[in-house]
Every structure is written in structure tokens, then in C-alpha cells.
Amino acid sequence: MFLICRILLTTILLFFVAQTQAQSKRFDLEQLGSLRVDDISDDQVADLISQMNRKKMDINELEFVALQKKMSRDEFAKLKTRIQKVETTFKVTNSSSENEDNADEVQALSQEKNILNSLTAQKIFGAELFNNKALTFEPNLKIATPANYQLGPEDELFIDVYGFSEASYKLKISAEGNIRIPSVGIIQLNGLTIESARKKIITQLSAIYSGINSGETGVNVVLGNIRSIKVSLIGEVNMPGTYTLPSLASVFNALYASGGPSVNGSFRNIRIIRGGKAIATLDVYEFLMKGNSTGNVRLQDQDIIKISPYESRVELQGEVKRPGLYEVKKGETIKDVLAYAGGFTDYAYSNLIKVIRVTGKEKKVAEVSSELFGMFAPQTGDVYLIEKVIDRFENRVSIEGAVFRPGLYAFEKGLTLGQLIKKAEGLREDAFTERGILIRLKDDLSTEMISFNVKDVSNGKGDIALKREDKINISSKFDIREARKVTITGEVLRPGVYDFAEQMKVEDLIILAGGLKESADRSKIEIARKVKNQDVGKAGSEIAKIFRISLDELLNAGSASIALEPFDQISVYQLAGYTSSASVMLEGEIFSPGSYAISKNNERVSDIVKRAGGITASSYPQGAILIRKKKLSETELLVRKQKLDALLKQTRDSVRAKELITREFTDDVSVVGIDLQKILDKPGSKFDLIVSDGDILRVPNDLQTVKVSGEVLYPVRLRFESGKSLKAYVSGSGGFTQRALKRRTYVVYPNGTAKPTRRFLFVKFYPKVLSGSEIVVPPREERSKLTLSEALAVTSTLTTLALIIFTLSK
């Protein structure tokens, strides 16, 4: 007994180890090509997800890799489903080190801070000037040289001598600030304006060109390529530092290059420092509001632009045209800030603004009336709330229903109900004049209903004085009764429900329904009319009266037709014994394929084939199929159309929509398994079916192949060999897979029938295979694999059981 327990324990441990190894087996992306999704565990899928996270790979990139590794699309679809299932069940994390996790956390916090700063910057008035990609503030280098431009090292000059003497020079100012003209010598130009430099150059050139003084020779001096300058931006700048700019650059060019003021930077106190002294101050608001560019001076080499922190900034929220943060200077009022914000919107409550102000200890709320807008001085941190006007009217009344001009009207003191009806152009002809309804708003905002006689009010009797917010409703006669309809069914072209009209006759309704079909029995038309006062306490009481009429008698004899009443149901019946033309389609290996009319109601398959001349010598009668269509009734067609419309609304994919249409309209097409050879050998036998309208008989030629599909190693189509067994064909496709359910293997024959594998005791009898057949090997039902916790539970239970047995055996 001890030996048995030992063997049992060893088996349990081996099972546990095998389970643990299977679950701990790591998954490699290189294995995607040979992967069978059904054979891997959830832990391996989780490992795959971890690898995807480490490589920052999404599901679309994984699909691309899988297809490159020759994985089929169907297999990847199963893998995608498994990944989604595991992601919702397990929390998959990257196997990064602790330092990497900390670094990611710091980076996340930094990104969060940047996002907050970015959101704040978007609210600051003026910030968009330096964040707008459509604006560059690049200096225009193609304009004429400004007269006050001062020359310096690296500037390039073009000197053109023309007239009696001709010469041209292209010279660059040296680091010492001079140029050297051949035969003239060195000329110092550093710090001179372009005009002063021109005069100096002409004076020097006149020493060798005598025609200059007499006017026979002219000299033209222009600036070529300009030098670069270095400008430093300090303080509250988004990207502080030293920038290299063209010498024609202005303050705005430098601000744009540096990203402009930071979140805490001032837009109204930007100082330009040259040689240790502030030479100008730029107020961006002056440029934005008035186009005033005072302070936007041309920069020089080594200039410093200093942006100070803002001193006072307030926020406008609500109904202004440009809500946001606004910097305020001393002496400015809330009126100025409103002007920066573009003023109120069309729906703003402009009589009062609420202010949330920080006092240094806590917050408080203040109110600023419109009279104080020009005197109220903002403080830094103020938040101004501009609300919408109240959604109510001070002088509104309304009238709806059977009047010619329903809608809103202005309430004036002394306005009466009769006057309002006249304002609405009076009552319509279908107005219900016995009673109207006035809904009035009481002082406590509850409502009360006042009824009145519409006819009397219209005639000046019992008029009612109106109040603000009164609502009047005058109903139409048609609004206060059930919609009156009549129904016609049966042998008419357009059966359905139609609006009832006074003096409507049966003949009128038939015409509205498109007239009678050829199959209609004109002598058998019924009218079913509701009995309004039926005796519900009496069994077999009449619930509808039936009138039978002949349409021919009404038309020929000129007798009075029956006038219809609301909710009448008219039924037009089919002629007794009427049958529409019916036909059968013969296709394939038939001597004369085509459509054949059914000549009698018991005509069989053999009769139709005989009329077509029989089957050809190359036909394969064992593979013949009969396709039968079920003819839908009008009700079934209507239900089918409604169902299809609902399905089409659920999808916008045109390919999917086409699939739905095909599926919905082919559900009633079925393949009938027949044995055409037996039918032809024994006409009129039980195998010889009676044909129906719309049947299609399809006779193929000898297919000479056998298809093997399902759980085989290599699904393939093989050449048919007479007498070859099913297992031989399966071997030809590589054999069964591990997931194959061999005992459920079946054969689908070309005529649409199928045969399963039979079993007696331990012996399997596989079905016979014919030419054109398909061998289908189904998969085993998938069983969930034991998780680690489940394996431990099973091991613990079996171990306990083994110990109990061992103890009892002593």
C-alpha cells in the first residue's frame, strides 16, 4: 500500500511540474508564424502583452508582424480576441526596473505640469501671438534699406560707378568696421548710416574719378547681404537665451523666436536694454488693440530684452467675446479689461458683474454694477463672472393650434384674448370652437388652466383679459379624434391602410390601391365593419358586420354602392383554382438547359429532365442538387423588409451591408438532397420529387476531386480515386491534428447530403467517399486549462486523499 501511495504522489508531482512548466513557458514573437492560439495558455498571452508593452507595440503593429510571419488572418483574429480577454482579466505590467519606474513617474509629473502651463498659456490674452504658426514675424529683407540703418562688420555693400567711367565693387565691412576700395584705400564705415556712408564713399571715389564732381559719372551705393546680430532674452521667457538674428530684426522677431513671455511673464512691461540702459518699453496690448508698435524698435548687436513677471492679472469668465486672463496696468479699470475681451456677448447680463477676490486670508464675492465699470479698479487674482440673461420674457404671450399665424406675440397692457386671435389672423376652418384652453402662470410660478368658448370669444362675448406668459391653445377638430382609416387587403396592387374620406366607396378605395390583380375574384369582395355596441355579456355576440358585394354588379347594374365608414376592412379574394405561371430552371450537364414551365401540378423531376432531352454523357448525376425557394407571403415580405432595414441601420460598412442583404434574402433558399441516378432509373418512385415553382436543378460534370477540411494538418483538395478510404484521404492531407475529433468526422456529398462516422463498440466505420465530396474533421470542444491555483488545489486534494488511504491501510 505504501508503494501505491508513493507512486500516486510521484504522479501528482509530475502532473504539477508539467502544469507549471506549461504555464511558465515564455512566448516569443518569432513564434507567431507557427502559433496555434488554441494551444497556448492565458499566462503566455499575458507574457505576449508584456512584450508588446516593452516594445511599445500596439495591436495593429502586432498584426503586421504576425502577417509577415505567415500567420493566417483567422488565426490572428482568435489571438486578438484572447489578448482582449486577458487584458480585461489580468493586469499586465512591464518588467521594467524600479529606477525606470521612478523615471517614468517623474516624466509623467513633468508632462502633467507642462500640460497645466500650456492650458494656462492658452487663456492668457496675447499668448496666441507667439504660438500661432501662421505668424513668423520674420524681417522683410527685400525692402529698401532704411535711412537710419547703421552699418557694421559683416554688412555687404554694392558700389556701382556708372556714366563716363564704369566700375563695380562688392565689398564686405571688416571686423574693424572698414572697407578697402582698390586704388582708393581704406574707408571707415562702422556706425554710419547708409546715407552717411554713401556720401563718404563718393568723396573718396572722386579722387580717382574726376567725372563725379562734374556730374559725368554717378555712384550708387546699396546694401547687399546684411550682418547677423546676437540678442539676449532674459526673465520670464519661454525659451530664454541668446539668439542670432538678422540686423533688421525688431523686438517682435526676437520674442517670436523665443516663444514669447512665459506663463508668469508680463506682456505689458517688456524692456529693451542697450549699453546698460533701457531704451524702450514694449506693450503687446497696444499692438493688439490699436496696432501701435511703439517700443518695437530695431535691435542692435548685444541688445538685451528683459521680460519681467506680471504685476496684476485678472480672469474674465462667461459671456464675453474673449474669455481669458488679462494683465492690468495701474490706473486701468474693469471697463478697460472688458474692452480687451472684446466686450459682452449678445446674451450677456451686462447690468452686473460678480467678482471673486482674494483678500490675502480668504476669498470674498463682490458685485460691480454697470455704473461703476469705469471706476472699479481690478486687483491681481480677481475672477470676473459675466452671466447670461435670464431665460424668460417680460412681455410674452403665445397662441397655438387652429389659427392662421400661431406663435409668440408681444403682451401689452389691456390685451384681450379676442384681440390676440385677431393678431393671429383669426381661426382656421377646422377650429374646434366649443372649447379652448388658456394656461396661466400664477404668482408662485404654478400653472392654472382656464377654459373658454372659442366661438363666443371670437364674437366678442366673454372676452378674457390676458396676462404675461399666458399660453392659448385652440384645437383642430382633427386633433381631438382618432385618425380615421380604412384597410384593404388581398388581390389588389397596393394593399394597405388609407385615409378615410366622407362619401368614400369601395370602388374608390380599390382605385387608390392601384386596382385589382388579374387573380382577383370580382364577385367576392367583403367589407368587415366594427359593431360599436356589442353585447359583451352574451356568448357569440356579433363583433363585426360582414357585407359581401360583387364589383361587376355594382358597375353594370348601376346599383347604389355601399359607402365606407371609418375603420372598415375590405378583403378582395383570389379566384378559385387560380394559379400563376410556374417554371423550373435546369442548369449544367443537360442537353437543353433553360427554364421550363410546369405543365401540371404533379410534374416530377424525371418529367422535366425528359422534356429537356436528358443528361449529357459527361454529367455526374450523383452530384446533382435541387435548389428550392420558399415563396414568401406579403406579410412575410413586409416583416423581412422591416428586419433588413433595422439591420442596415446598425452598420455603415457597405461590404457588411451587402452581406446582410445576401443573407436575409437567401435564408429561404435550401438545397434538397436528391439522387438523380435513382430518379432517372425509377421515374415516379419515392426518390422522384414533385417540382415547385422556382426550383433549380443543377447537374455538374464529374468533379474528380475530394476536399479535405477542418482539423487536418494541411487542408487540401485531392484527386478522387475509386475505392479509396476516408482515412487515406486524411493521410493525404497530413493526417489529423491534436485537436481533431476523429469520431465526429463526416462526409458532405456533392448532392447536398451528409453522412457521419458510425461506431460499433471500439470500431469506427467511416462513410464512403464519392467524387466531389468534402471530408470535414471537426475540432474537439475546447477545455479551459488548469491555472496555477487550480493545479495547487487539485494537488492538495489528491495528496490529502493519498495520505488518508495510507493511514487507513496501516
Side-chain angles (χ1 to χ4, degrees), residues 139 156 229 239 285 453 564 614 620:
E156 188 178 58
I229 61 174
M239 294 181 289
Y285 282 23
N453 187 292
L564 296 179
Y620 184 55

Side-chain angles (χ1 to χ4, degrees), residues 735-755:
F736 295 106
T737 66
Q738 292 182 349
R739 295 182 63 251
L741 189 59
K742 301 178 186 178
R743 57 190 173 86
R744 296 294 184 189
T745 302
Y746 60 94
V747 176
V748 179
Y749 294 107
N751 67 349
T753 60
K755 281 189 179 180

Side-chain angles (χ1 to χ4, degrees), residues 22-25 37 39-46 82 785:
Q23 293 180 359
S24 62
K25 183 180 178 183
V37 178
D39 295 338
I40 64 175
S41 66
D42 286 344
D43 289 339
Q44 288 176 293
V45 176
R82 286 286 299 278
K785 298 185 179 180

Side-chain angles (χ1 to χ4, degrees), residues 515-586:
L516 298 174
K517 291 182 179 178
E518 182 185 2
S519 57
D521 187 349
R522 300 166 65 90
S523 63
K524 192 177 180 182
I525 299 175
E526 282 188 357
I527 302 172
R529 181 168 295 166
K530 287 183 178 180
V531 175
K532 296 179 181 179
N533 298 314
Q534 57 180 289
D535 188 357
V536 295
K538 181 181 178 182
S541 61
E542 188 179 39
I543 62 174
K545 289 185 177 181
I546 305 299
F547 303 94
R548 291 179 178 169
I549 62 173
S550 169
L551 188 61
D552 288 334
E553 291 180 3
L554 292 177
L555 295 177
N556 294 334
S559 58
S561 178
I562 299 176
L564 296 179
E565 292 185 3
F567 312 110
D568 280 356
Q569 295 184 12
I570 293 84
S571 301
V572 181
Y573 295 101
Q574 192 180 69
L575 284 168
Y578 179 84
T579 56
S580 57
S581 58
S583 62
V584 177
M585 177 64 72
L586 301 186

Side-chain angles (χ1 to χ4, degrees), residues 49-213:
I49 297 172
S50 296
Q51 293 184 56
M52 289 172 60
N53 290 337
R54 286 196 297 273
K55 295 183 179 182
K56 297 181 178 179
M57 179 185 293
D58 60 19
I59 194 69
N60 294 324
E61 292 170 329
L62 180 66
E63 181 179 10
F64 177 78
V65 173
L67 295 179
Q68 289 291 317
K69 300 292 183 184
K70 307 299 183 183
M71 175 183 272
S72 68
R73 293 187 181 275
D74 292 339
E75 199 70 22
F76 181 78
K78 290 195 285 187
L79 177 61
K80 184 177 179 181
T81 302
R82 286 286 299 278
I83 289 173
Q84 292 171 346
K85 178 182 177 183
V86 170
E87 281 181 333
T88 56
T89 308
F90 300 100
K91 183 179 180 182
V92 181
T93 58
N94 295 333
S95 58
S96 303
S97 65
E98 185 176 351
N99 292 334
E100 288 174 341
D101 290 340
N102 292 336
D104 291 341
E105 185 176 353
V106 171
Q107 184 180 3
L109 290 173
S110 176
Q111 289 177 348
E112 184 177 352
K113 182 179 178 182
N114 291 336
I115 290 171
L116 290 173
N117 287 339
S118 176
L119 292 173
T120 304
Q122 291 175 11
K123 295 166 62 178
I124 297 174
F125 180 63
E128 72 276 4
L129 192 65
F130 306 107
N131 298 326
N132 190 344
K133 294 182 179 180
L135 298 174
T136 59
F137 289 107
E138 292 181 357
N140 189 353
L141 304 181
K142 296 181 181 181
I143 62 172
T145 305
N148 61 350
Y149 179 78
Q150 293 181 333
L151 297 174
E154 299 300 319
D155 278 342
E156 188 178 58
L157 294 176
F158 289 105
I159 304 171
D160 185 26
V161 180
Y162 59 92
F164 188 77
S165 300
E166 292 187 355
S168 61
Y169 305 94
K170 180 181 179 182
L171 305 171
K172 182 175 288 188
I173 299 176
S174 68
E176 291 76 21
N178 56 55
I179 61 172
R180 183 180 178 280
I181 301 177
S183 303
V184 175
I186 296 173
I187 305 174
Q188 186 70 25
L189 300 177
N190 188 37
L192 297 180
T193 65
I194 190 68
E195 183 60 29
S196 300
R198 191 180 72 83
K199 291 178 180 178
K200 192 171 183 179
I201 291 171
I202 290 174
T203 301
Q204 296 292 327
L205 287 174
S206 62
I208 61 172
Y209 295 106
S210 57
I212 292 176
N213 294 327

